Amino acid sequence: MLNLIIFGPPGAGKGTQSEKLISKYGLVHISTGDLLRAERNAGTELGNQANDFISRGELVPDAVVIGMVRNYMISKEGANGFIFDGFPRTIPQAEALDRMLEEFNTGISVVLGLEVEEDELVKRLMLRGQTSGRVDDQDESTIRNRFQEYLNKTLPLQGFYTAQGKYQGVMGMGEIDTIFSQLCAKIDSAQAS
Ligand code: AMP
């Protein structure tokens, strides 16, 4: 199996690059943001639990997210591989993911980090907010809150995966196709090794 994590701050381009990687490598997409929004729109208990956290720009509690990912992975048994987008976002989530993949007799192949400066990210998210309809893309203070969560809780994962020899960073600014080619080169060399 080829299991990728696409890693980076909000607005780094994880969704855009995921779509391209999915069609090239035939992977199943697991975007916890998309799954949580679908739960919220369907009015499920999980969606209602998550809603307040999302609209404040805070992370949803680990147990909620981990359970949701686990159920989704089980429902996709037989997949060629997964691309995790927006997950894991904390060290406990990363540890839980390692355990879940072990149950499938597999593991993370490579963690692709999209590296973009904060001011550029705020600009991109404000722009996206004009068309995405996402409550958490609308005002600058919610967006800055999401960055704060990223810096405090998610960025430590870079060290976690570097220690496992799995983190590969790519500059996430510039042409989408150039960034995509760089990501593919990282995947191909991880598969070859
Ligand atoms: P995203 O679409 O990935 O930007 O996620 C939107 C929001 O959903 C985040 O700001 C969090 O409130 C919540 N969320 C998404 N993924 C996670 C996760 N792995 N852990 C905790 N909260 C999450």
Side-chain angles (χ1 to χ4, degrees):
M1 279 176 97
L2 174 66
N3 297 307
L4 309 177
I5 294 175
I6 185 108
F7 182 82
K14 299 189 293 295
T16 305
Q17 295 296 338
S18 290
E19 274 177 34
K20 295 172 76 69
L21 292 167
I22 288 158
S23 54
K24 175 160 177 176
Y25 294 97
L27 305 171
V28 169
H29 191 205
I30 303 194
S31 157
T32 44
D34 286 352
L35 292 176
L36 288 167
R37 281 184 289 275
E39 294 279 347
R40 185 192 55 195
N41 294 344
T44 65
E45 196 187 324
L46 192 156
N48 294 337
Q49 270 179 315
N51 191 30
D52 288 347
F53 294 98
I54 296 174
S55 48
R56 288 195 299 263
E58 291 171 14
L59 292 188
V60 173
D62 286 335
V64 174
V65 177
I66 291 166
M68 183 182 73
V69 169
R70 190 185 159 75
N71 289 338
Y72 195 71
M73 283 173 68
I74 291 169
S75 78
K76 298 287 175 186
E77 208 167 348
N80 279 334
F82 295 103
I83 179 162
F84 298 94
D85 167 4
F87 178 87
R89 262 178 157 101
T90 63
I91 299 276
Q93 289 182 18
E95 290 169 344
L97 178 59
D98 279 345
R99 286 194 297 272
M100 290 192 277
L101 288 171
E102 253 171 50
E103 285 176 38
F104 284 69
N105 289 317
T106 185
I108 291 297
S109 315
V110 61
V111 178
L112 302 164
L114 291 171
E115 299 173 355
V116 182
E117 289 156 16
E118 179 168 335
D119 284 344
E120 167 70 16
L121 294 167
V122 175
K123 255 190 268 166
R124 288 187 191 180
L125 290 174
M126 298 288 283
L127 200 67
R128 183 170 87 183
Q130 292 171 12
T131 52
S132 69
R134 280 181 51 167
V135 285
D136 55 348
D137 282 346
Q138 304 296 329
D139 69 282
E140 192 169 333
S141 75
T142 309
I143 292 173
R144 297 262 176 212
N145 212 10
R146 287 162 64 199
F147 286 130
Q148 216 41 58
E149 289 281 79
Y150 172 77
L151 294 176
N152 294 339
K153 297 178 183 163
T154 307
L155 195 55
L157 292 177
Q158 200 170 312
F160 179 90
Y161 287 116
T162 300
Q164 293 188 6
K166 292 184 176 163
Y167 183 82
Q168 297 288 337
V170 160
M171 176 56 71
M173 289 161 84
E175 291 294 319
I176 289 174
D177 285 336
T178 311
I179 299 167
F180 179 62
S181 307
Q182 289 173 344
L183 294 176
C184 294
K186 301 283 189 197
I187 294 167
D188 297 342
S189 76
Q191 278 189 303
S193 65

